[in-house]
Amino acid sequence: MGTAPGSWRGATLAWALVLLAWAGRAGALENGLARTPTMGWLHWERFLCNTDCAHEPLSCISEQLFMQMADLMVSDGWKDVGYEYVCIDDCWMSLTRDDQDRLQPDPERFPSGIRKLADYVHSKGLKLGIYGDVGNKTCAGFPGSYGYYDLDAQTFADWGVDLLKFDGCNYGTLDQLTEGYRNMSLALNKTGRSIVYSCEWPLYMRPMQKPNYTEIKHYCNHWRNFADIYDAWNSVKNTLEWTALHQDSIVDVAGPGGWNDPDMLVIGNFGLSWDQQLTQMALWAIMAAPLLMSNDLRHISPQAKWLLQNKDVIAINQDPLGKQGYRITKDNNFELWERPLSEGAYAVAVLNRHEIGGTQIFSFSTSFLGNGLACNPACSIQQILPTSEDWGLHNWVSFLNVEVNPTGTVLLKVVVIGEFPDEKPVMNINKKLSPDIL
Ligand code: GAL
């Protein structure tokens, strides 16, 4: 029986559409992970590549370190507020692959093996992250995954790993960098195990070529854009400045499943003042950044713990709308940032960039916020950091006078109120900081 030309064309068209849809999907990272920014702990900034367990048993990169962090993440309330991934960075490996070409951990420092460590971490209700490199060697000179993407992905999956941080040192050519990041993503997917894929692809690519963020998001769950963070205000400040300067190309791509990664939280270490720690926490929430602490959970001040475990800030970071925030204005050494939240709310950060003098006041109209809609016709404002305070009701012509310490940040949550409330909105507010509660 012949097929009528019309229905034949229809069938061809239908197939073409199916093929197009498939081609559109091919390569997309649809692993269902990182629907909100990843939260956990990562060893690098605090513990670096310390392999000297003979002299420094408590701070060398060993299974004991990760087991202790896992214990504390449960016993000290970190898990309860959302920190979930205990992540190994560089320097866990043996310098050679095993006789079947598989990566293997250093036998002295990880005598039980990664499978056992993963079992331990899982028994605590947590997840385990590990580190690899797209090139021939990791940044610290351990074996890279180049030429072994499928084998390494399968090894990680067999061990029960839940996150891979994939670095880009020694990547070879630009094509090898790109192909390597793509191939490892596909290799991870092929294992069938849910493994968050954390990339540094755009960071290594940018000096040669403008990163294609749509493609990067198709392959990675988060991606580093900028230099390594270190324990100093300069580093946090430069990361924020870089992010604001590039916000037009990086903010819109972020969303459930794929996030810009401004690198680890260094709160609780040595280099940041209290105000600077507030700034890092507030702005990492505004930026919808992965919250990967790199600190020593065995020795952390109650203040740093309070800040890192602050549920209101974490709720902003984890907001289900999944939109990244941006800088609205930079004026006379003050910066105003906002992040759209679910239900029409906004998180707002006022950052004082002065590095001289004392507390200063930044005044701005609520009409600056949310394109004029955040307080239209009215809104309620809650101060989240440095302390929790109710700022009451405001309207679209309110002026806010915000007192901020040098290098510090005041973080607010602004909730729009659809109709004029009976209560008369406050037209002006001048809040005092109350650092003494901490
Ligand atoms: C860097 C990376 C750091 C850390 C380090 C390890 O390239 O950005 O976060 O992983 O390598 O050697």
Side-chain angles (χ1 to χ4, degrees):
M1 211 168 63
T3 317
S7 65
W8 172 242
R9 267 203 305 277
T12 314
L13 185 66
W15 270 110
L17 287 176
V18 169
L19 277 174
L20 262 179
W22 181 82
R25 280 171 47 97
L29 184 60
E30 285 172 4
N31 62 7
L33 302 171
R35 306 312 294 169
T36 60
T38 303
M39 292 177 66
W41 183 92
L42 175 62
H43 93 239
W44 186 256
E45 197 287 326
R46 178 65 188 251
F47 294 96
L48 296 165
C49 190
N50 186 351
T51 55
D52 187 359
C53 292
H55 293 103
E56 293 171 281
L58 295 179
S59 52
C60 67
I61 308 312
S62 69
E63 61 186 32
Q64 202 196 332
L65 181 69
F66 299 97
M67 288 165 76
Q68 287 182 351
M69 292 306 153
D71 290 347
L72 288 164
M73 276 173 70
V74 176
S75 63
D76 287 2
W78 302 98
K79 177 174 171 249
D80 288 343
V81 295
Y83 294 94
E84 190 181 15
Y85 289 81
V86 182
C87 301
I88 309 172
D89 207 289
D90 205 348
C91 306
W92 61 272
M93 296 174 199
S94 172
L95 281 168
T96 52
R97 289 175 175 268
D98 72 7
D99 52 12
Q100 290 172 288
D101 280 343
R102 287 175 307 199
L103 292 171
Q104 51 185 346
D106 180 279
E108 311 258 290
R109 295 181 286 118
F110 293 85
S112 316
I114 305 294
R115 170 84 244 181
K116 280 269 163 54
L117 181 57
D119 288 347
Y120 185 81
V121 167
H122 294 155
S123 76
K124 301 257 152 188
L126 298 168
K127 297 198 151 91
L128 183 72
I130 208 161
Y131 168 98
D133 190 285
V134 75
N136 284 320
K137 280 190 189 314
T138 73
C139 300
F142 292 86
S145 292
Y146 182 70
Y148 297 99
Y149 300 127
D150 284 310
L151 177 62
D152 291 353
Q154 193 55 54
T155 306
F156 297 144
D158 292 344
W159 285 342
V161 161
D162 307 291
L163 177 149
L164 174 65
K165 172 174 174 176
F166 209 43
D167 211 334
C169 273
N170 310 303
Y171 60 78
T173 65
L174 192 56
D175 280 350
Q176 284 167 338
L177 176 79
T178 301
E179 280 304 303
Y181 271 106
R182 285 184 191 141
N183 286 337
M184 186 48 116
S185 177
L186 299 175
L188 291 171
N189 270 5
K190 250 189 277 164
T191 68
R193 186 171 173 84
S194 291
I195 301 178
V196 171
Y197 186 39
S198 165
C199 301
E200 299 202 28
W201 184 358
L203 168 63
Y204 287 91
M205 180 169 222
R206 188 173 287 276
M208 272 94 48
Q209 197 174 301
K210 209 170 157 212
N212 175 346
Y213 282 100
T214 313
E215 183 188 18
I216 290 168
K217 189 179 178 176
H218 278 168
Y219 288 99
C220 303
N221 290 120
H222 25 97
W223 49 85
R224 287 269 310 282
N225 293 306
F226 187 62
D228 290 5
I229 199 132
Y230 54 94
D231 190 12
W233 173 238
N234 240 349
S235 174
V236 172
K237 182 173 79 173
N238 291 343
T239 305
L240 291 174
E241 188 61 21
W242 187 94
T243 305
L245 290 177
H246 293 82
Q247 61 188 13
D248 288 350
S249 58
I250 65 170
V251 163
D252 284 348
V253 74
W259 312 97
N260 290 292
D261 176 7
D263 212 359
M264 292 158 270
L265 291 168
V266 293
I267 295 164
N269 291 323
F270 309 96
L272 300 186
S273 71
W274 176 241
D275 284 285
Q276 293 158 2
Q277 295 180 63
L278 290 169
T279 294
Q280 191 183 29
M281 194 66 189
L283 271 299
W284 262 235
I286 292 276
M287 292 188 292
L291 298 181
L292 293 167
M293 306 177 280
S294 194
N295 49 18
D296 189 344
L297 300 178
R298 297 165 300 191
H299 307 284
I300 188 160
S301 70
Q303 287 93 334
K305 186 173 167 198
W306 174 86
L307 177 58
L308 287 161
Q309 293 194 358
N310 186 303
K311 289 192 178 130
D312 295 329
V313 189
I314 292 173
I316 291 172
N317 175 269
Q318 298 284 302
D319 184 81
L321 186 63
K323 276 188 177 294
Q324 180 172 339
Y326 40 82
R327 188 163 75 187
I328 308 176
T329 176
K330 181 183 179 190
D331 169 37
N332 190 25
N333 275 321
F334 272 96
E335 295 184 15
L336 188 60
W337 293 63
E338 72 177 15
R339 173 176 174 186
L341 303 174
S342 43
E343 293 168 14
Y346 282 83
V348 173
V350 184
L351 162 62
N352 179 356
R353 288 272 298 262
H354 288 96
E355 293 178 21
I356 190 168
T359 307
Q360 299 217 23
I361 295 175
F362 181 67
S363 304
F364 63 99
S365 154
T366 52
S367 64
F368 270 46
L369 306 176
N371 262 328
L373 297 175
C375 283
N376 192 352
C379 60
S380 70
I381 301 184
Q382 177 76 22
Q383 178 182 293
I384 310 284
L385 293 176
T387 53
S388 174
E389 281 180 32
D390 187 1
W391 283 21
L393 296 171
H394 297 264
N395 66 21
W396 79 102
V397 288
S398 297
F399 251 83
L400 303 178
N401 299 312
V402 186
E403 284 186 37
V404 199
N405 292 344
T407 66
T409 293
V410 169
L411 180 67
L412 309 171
K413 182 171 176 186
V414 178
V415 178
V416 68
I417 296 171
E419 285 169 18
F420 280 109
D422 292 340
E423 203 179 325
K424 199 170 175 290
V426 189
M427 301 294 283
N428 241 297
I429 191 149
N430 195 345
K431 298 304 291 189
K432 274 224 152 304
L433 305 183
S434 24
D436 34 81
I437 81 143
L438 290 168

